[in-house]
């Protein structure tokens, strides 16, 4: 692998020199250049946070998957590290696909999918996928150890292992597609995490499977406890789901199933599949635990097959902000909140005086590109539409006609146009905590009741930020905003 890593680093270096900055995030993790998709191997190990990611260091397009790597003291400020994995061995000829990390007895283990095209490159109808492992003593350099879990009979699409320890055993969930082309998650266990020459037991149970005949694959499963009473969440990204009304509008979605689980028992579901995020760009999130016990998750803030104007700058893809996951028992669903560490990015606080906007807009900033806002609006407002405009192409607003919160993008020059929305939460007020970066916006509604994650592509001279109300009046009850410092050196 050493020689291939050297080639990858040389290629990346050339790309970094060409990389543009207009859309490059100021406070989100993105590759130094080239392509990024799923978060992989998120973990706190030996005093540092580690984030790995699906990476193509040779170009801004998806290609033979490597694992990029960054480390951090606070999950906010990231230091790029050498590429951790390069594909090309017998068992990962066509790519080192997604997976997870385990910190065990001082070593860092990466579990990933060795992806192999058996026919033409890119022909998904003839593939071999198996779970592989790589080990590191220093947390930076990894030695590949080959396959630890081959696919069970009848499974060809078999990827994205997430491993954890519980009740004296190691457990692994893997995303799969059965013989009838239906999405599933398979559960495996092992007494031993890894031993030279030893493989995991291929016996499995089906932890969950689709009840929607269109869904042909469940990717990137994550299974974790959300209470002390055996409540578990299965978070995954189904493929093939059709849009229904306002829902499931993205090409692929990410959501959760919640239920009771304990080792050797079946997953006893309560309720159905719920989308985790309501924006345009949210996929394949992965969770990990902080040393103080929080469950934190980051996702890929982009979407397969979306136009990606940042490719003109020789990079594509970034993570969402780290979000703390909280189980809302009453509503039987997950909430996501920005982690408290993000407050360290704040510059000087600006207060917006309460105001009644009557058919008007007020300017907050000429050039919004790295800012956090906290706005509380009255939902008793009569205006047809009120909220926030960023340049001419992006609006976030409360729509009093449909009673929905809407994020609308219009960049016809990039073939991007359209909105995502969610029903307004109950109550007479709505709180919006909004993070605006150079090409992304994340919105947390009422302490994580709803979230929206979307990419947007405003020209550098079209970034004016305004509050507005049309056809009537809208009351801003309180407002604050902070310029955010960049994490880039
Ligand atoms: C999800 C995914 C995974 C796969 C990886 C390949 O976005 O398709 O299932 O491991 O991306 O890059």
């Amino acid at each position: 692998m050493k020689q291939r890593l050297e080639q990858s680093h040389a290629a990346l270096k050339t790309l970094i020199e060409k990389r543009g900055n207009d859309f490059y995030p100021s406070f989100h993790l993105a590759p130094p250049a080239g392509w990024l998709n799923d978060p992989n191997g998120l973990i706190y190990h030996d005093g540092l946070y580690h984030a790995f990611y699906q990476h193509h260091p040779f170009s801004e397009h998806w290609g033979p998957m490597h694992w990029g790597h960054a480390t951090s003291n606070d999950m906010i400020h990231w230091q790029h590290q050498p590429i951790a994995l390069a594909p090309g061995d017998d068992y990962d000829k066509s790519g080192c696909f997604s997976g997870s990390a385990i910190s065990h007895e001082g070593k860092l283990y990466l579990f990933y999918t060795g992806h192999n095209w058996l026919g033409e490159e890119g022909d998904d109808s003839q593939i071999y996928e198996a779970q592989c492992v790589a080990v590191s003593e220093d947390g930076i350099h990894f030695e590949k150890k080959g396959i630890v879990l081959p696919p069970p009979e009848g499974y060809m699409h078999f990827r994205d292992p997430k491993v954890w320890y519980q009740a004296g055993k190691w457990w692994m969930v893997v995303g799969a597609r059965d013989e009838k082309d239906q999405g599933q998650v398979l559960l495996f266990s092992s007494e031993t995490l890894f031993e030279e020459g030893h493989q995991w037991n291929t016996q499995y149970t089906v932890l969950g499977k689709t009840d929607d005949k269109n869904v042909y694959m469940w990717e990137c499963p994550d299974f974790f406890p959300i209470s002390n009473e055996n409540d578990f969440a299965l978070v995954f990204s189904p493929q093939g789901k059709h849009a229904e009304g306002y829902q499931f509008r993205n090409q692929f979605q990410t959501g959760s199933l919640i239920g009771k689980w304990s080792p050797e028992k079946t997953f006893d579901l309560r309720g159905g599949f719920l989308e985790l995020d309501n924006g345009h760009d949210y996929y394949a999130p992965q969770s990990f635990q902080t040393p103080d016990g929080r469950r934190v998750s980051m996702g890929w803030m982009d979407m397969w097959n979306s136009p990606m104007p940042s490719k003109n700058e020789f990079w594509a893809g970034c993570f969402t902000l780290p979000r703390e996951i909280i189980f809302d028992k009453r509503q039987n669903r997950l909430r996501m909140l920005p982690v408290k560490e993000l407050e360290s990015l704040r510059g000087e606080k600006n207060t917006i005086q309460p105001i009644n906007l009557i058919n008007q807009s007020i300017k907050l900033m000429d050039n919004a590109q790295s800012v956090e806002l906290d706005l509380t609006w009255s939902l008793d407002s009569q205006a047809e539409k009120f909220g926030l405009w960023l340049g001419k192409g992006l609006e976030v607003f409360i729509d009093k006609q449909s009673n929905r919160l809407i994020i609308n993008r219009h960049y016809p020059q990039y073939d991007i146009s359209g909105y995502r929305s969610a029903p307004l939460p109950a109550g007479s007020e709505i709180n919006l905590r909004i993070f605006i970066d150079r090409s992304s916006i994340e919105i947390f509604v009422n302490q994580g009741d709803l979230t929206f994650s979307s990419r947007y592509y405003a020209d550098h001279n079209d970034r004016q930020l305004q509050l507005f109300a049309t056809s009537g009046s809208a009351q801003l009850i309180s407002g604050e905003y902070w310029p955010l410092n960049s994490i880039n050196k």
Side-chain angles (χ1 to χ4, degrees):
M1 179 163 76
K2 192 154 171 265
Q3 203 188 348
R4 275 176 273 127
L5 281 176
E6 277 165 16
Q7 287 164 358
S8 314
H9 284 128
L12 183 60
K13 198 160 167 249
T14 329
L15 268 193
I16 290 174
E17 279 156 22
K18 299 198 286 188
R19 198 201 77 209
N21 275 322
D22 281 358
F23 296 139
Y24 195 78
S26 158
F27 59 96
H28 285 83
L29 179 59
W35 166 276
L36 164 151
N37 57 291
D38 313 349
N40 293 158
L42 306 182
I43 195 158
Y44 186 80
H45 166 74
D46 202 12
L48 278 182
Y49 291 99
H50 290 255
F52 300 84
Y53 50 87
Q54 289 286 281
H55 184 35
H56 190 217
F58 288 85
S59 91
E60 63 280 18
H61 306 291
W62 190 85
M65 280 291 105
H66 294 57
W67 276 38
H69 186 196
T71 51
S72 171
N73 285 312
D74 59 0
M75 20 174 190
I76 312 295
H77 297 82
W78 294 98
Q79 170 92 43
H80 290 296
Q81 297 293 353
I83 294 167
L85 299 177
D89 288 291
D90 289 348
Y91 42 86
D92 60 16
K93 237 177 350 98
S94 325
C96 300
F97 274 15
S98 286
S100 55
I102 290 286
S103 172
H104 182 53
E105 294 177 347
K107 293 186 192 164
L108 187 56
Y109 293 81
L110 304 182
F111 288 82
Y112 69 97
T113 301
H115 177 74
N116 303 274
W117 275 310
L118 302 176
E120 296 275 297
E121 198 173 302
D123 175 3
D124 271 351
S125 67
Q126 296 176 66
I127 60 170
Y128 179 80
E129 293 187 323
Q131 311 326 321
C132 303
V133 77
V135 188
S136 172
E137 302 269 349
D138 65 0
I140 303 291
H141 303 93
F142 290 84
E143 194 186 331
K144 286 191 194 170
K145 298 287 188 182
I147 295 178
V148 287
L149 179 63
E153 211 180 305
Y155 289 88
M156 188 167 66
H157 287 263
F158 176 60
R159 57 179 172 269
D160 311 336
K162 178 89 195 288
V163 180
W164 77 101
Y165 185 74
Q166 187 175 343
K169 267 192 186 181
W170 298 95
W171 300 85
M172 183 194 288
V173 279
V174 183
R177 172 174 183 164
D178 73 3
E179 276 168 309
K180 295 192 186 117
D181 287 336
Q182 295 283 281
Q184 297 188 334
V185 168
L186 307 185
L187 175 67
F188 298 84
S189 67
S190 176
E191 303 287 332
T192 323
L193 179 70
F194 172 73
E195 225 169 65
E196 231 42 82
H198 167 272
Q199 295 207 332
W200 279 50
N201 192 337
T202 48
Q203 275 190 347
Y204 64 90
T205 54
V206 177
L207 185 70
K209 59 178 187 208
T210 184
D211 56 8
D212 175 339
K213 67 177 187 338
N214 300 315
V215 172
Y216 55 83
M217 178 69 192
W218 282 9
E219 293 192 315
C220 300
D222 191 0
F223 192 55
F224 51 88
I226 47 177
S227 77
N228 298 327
E229 294 150 10
N230 298 335
D231 294 296
F232 270 73
L234 178 62
V235 171
F236 59 99
S237 297
Q239 297 189 307
K241 214 168 173 51
H242 292 182
E244 285 169 29
Y246 291 111
Q247 275 187 302
F248 316 131
R249 284 272 145 204
N250 294 338
Q251 161 139 23
F252 303 133
Q253 302 75 33
T254 290
S256 63
L257 287 170
I258 283 171
K260 294 272 185 201
W261 183 80
S262 51
E264 321 304 344
K265 296 247 172 73
T266 53
F267 185 32
D268 186 12
L269 288 183
R270 215 167 46 244
F273 178 75
L274 276 183
E275 264 188 286
L276 258 189
D277 188 277
N278 302 275
H280 297 84
D281 298 288
Y282 185 78
Y283 200 66
Q286 187 176 93
S287 75
F288 61 101
Q289 260 192 309
T290 59
D292 62 3
R294 287 171 289 163
R295 173 74 45 182
V296 172
S297 160
M298 296 195 275
W300 175 35
M301 195 155 42
D302 232 316
M303 183 50 60
W304 290 115
N305 301 327
S306 288
M308 297 176 185
S310 73
K311 285 185 171 177
N312 297 331
E313 299 183 352
F314 299 100
W315 69 279
C318 66
F319 281 11
T320 63
L321 293 174
R323 301 168 178 186
E324 185 175 348
I325 296 195
I326 290 161
F327 177 40
D328 183 332
K329 210 164 189 163
R330 203 175 47 81
Q331 299 195 59
N332 192 44
R333 59 186 197 76
L334 304 179
R335 290 166 173 266
M336 296 193 289
L337 281 171
V339 295
K340 60 178 188 291
E341 284 84 345
L342 280 160
E343 287 172 22
S344 71
L345 293 175
R346 288 176 176 171
E348 205 174 319
K349 174 163 121 180
N350 295 267
T351 304
I352 314 167
Q353 293 311 319
I355 182 172
N356 212 14
L357 290 173
I358 307 173
N359 272 334
Q360 75 186 116
S361 62
I362 55 165
K363 183 175 89 181
L364 289 186
M365 248 174 279
D366 273 322
N367 183 15
Q369 46 171 308
S370 190
V371 59
E372 175 188 348
L373 297 114
D374 192 321
L375 306 172
T376 304
W377 296 89
S378 163
L379 285 178
D380 295 330
S381 303
Q382 295 308 309
E384 269 177 26
K385 173 172 169 179
F386 56 96
L388 190 125
W389 281 326
L390 201 164
K392 290 187 280 298
L394 184 70
E395 50 180 2
V396 174
F397 62 94
I398 286 105
D399 181 31
K400 289 292 281 189
Q401 299 184 45
S402 63
N403 274 317
R404 299 183 75 83
L405 180 64
I406 298 183
I407 174 162
N408 186 29
R409 311 184 296 183
H410 188 57
Y411 302 101
Q413 66 275 36
Y414 300 123
D415 225 4
I416 292 175
S417 201
Y419 70 93
R420 295 289 178 269
S421 70
L424 288 178
S428 59
E429 293 178 3
I430 188 168
N431 176 258
L432 306 178
R433 196 156 158 216
I434 302 176
F435 292 84
I436 295 172
D437 204 331
R438 291 203 198 113
S439 62
S440 68
I441 176 163
E442 282 160 280
I443 307 164
F444 298 84
V445 184
N446 289 358
Q447 277 66 51
D449 217 3
L450 298 169
T451 62
F452 290 76
S453 309
S454 294
R455 301 297 297 279
Y456 75 95
Y457 300 97
D459 283 352
H460 62 275
N461 57 2
D462 184 31
R463 298 188 147 270
Q464 196 176 84
L465 187 66
Q466 302 178 76
L467 302 182
F468 76 91
T470 61
S471 303
S473 75
Q475 197 195 349
L476 181 80
I477 297 168
S478 69
E480 288 171 347
Y481 63 93
W482 299 261
L484 297 182
N485 295 317
S486 171
I487 62 168
N488 305 318
K489 299 217 173 73

